[in-house]
Amino acid sequence: RVAKIIDEKYWKPYREYVESPCINICTLVDNGLEDVCVGCGRTAEEIEAYPTLTNEQKSDVNKDALLRLETL
């Protein structure tokens, strides 16, 4: 019973965690439209907002960032 309470109270948020695409290569370049990080593909605005985004928003940012990296 104790393990179940601990699991529900403390570990559930971690199962729903969306990982940041950051790979610690933080260099912004202008791709002609916006400044984009060459390491993760996120824009400067996305990097700044990332900690406050919902998991769904983070997933969307991660998908967009991957597409940007493919065009850099």
Side-chain angles (χ1 to χ4, degrees):
R1 170 116 172 105
V2 172
K4 184 176 181 181
I5 292 170
I6 290 172
D7 182 51
E8 289 174 4
K9 186 174 182 182
Y10 296 105
W11 295 108
K12 184 176 179 183
Y14 295 104
R15 287 194 302 258
E16 298 170 0
Y17 178 76
V18 175
E19 190 171 338
S20 168
C22 181
I23 59 170
N24 295 319
I25 301 175
C26 305
T27 303
L28 294 174
V29 296
D30 185 351
N31 71 356
L33 299 173
E34 56 203 345
D35 290 335
V36 176
C37 177
V38 298
C40 69
R42 294 178 293 171
T43 65
E45 291 80 16
E46 289 169 338
I47 293 168
E48 183 178 349
Y50 203 84
T52 63
L53 299 178
T54 65
N55 285 339
E56 184 177 346
Q57 290 170 320
K58 288 178 181 180
S59 291
D60 290 342
V61 166
N62 291 354
K63 289 174 191 171
D64 292 342
L66 182 59
L67 291 174
R68 279 191 214 101
L69 283 176
E70 293 173 350
T71 62
L72 281 181

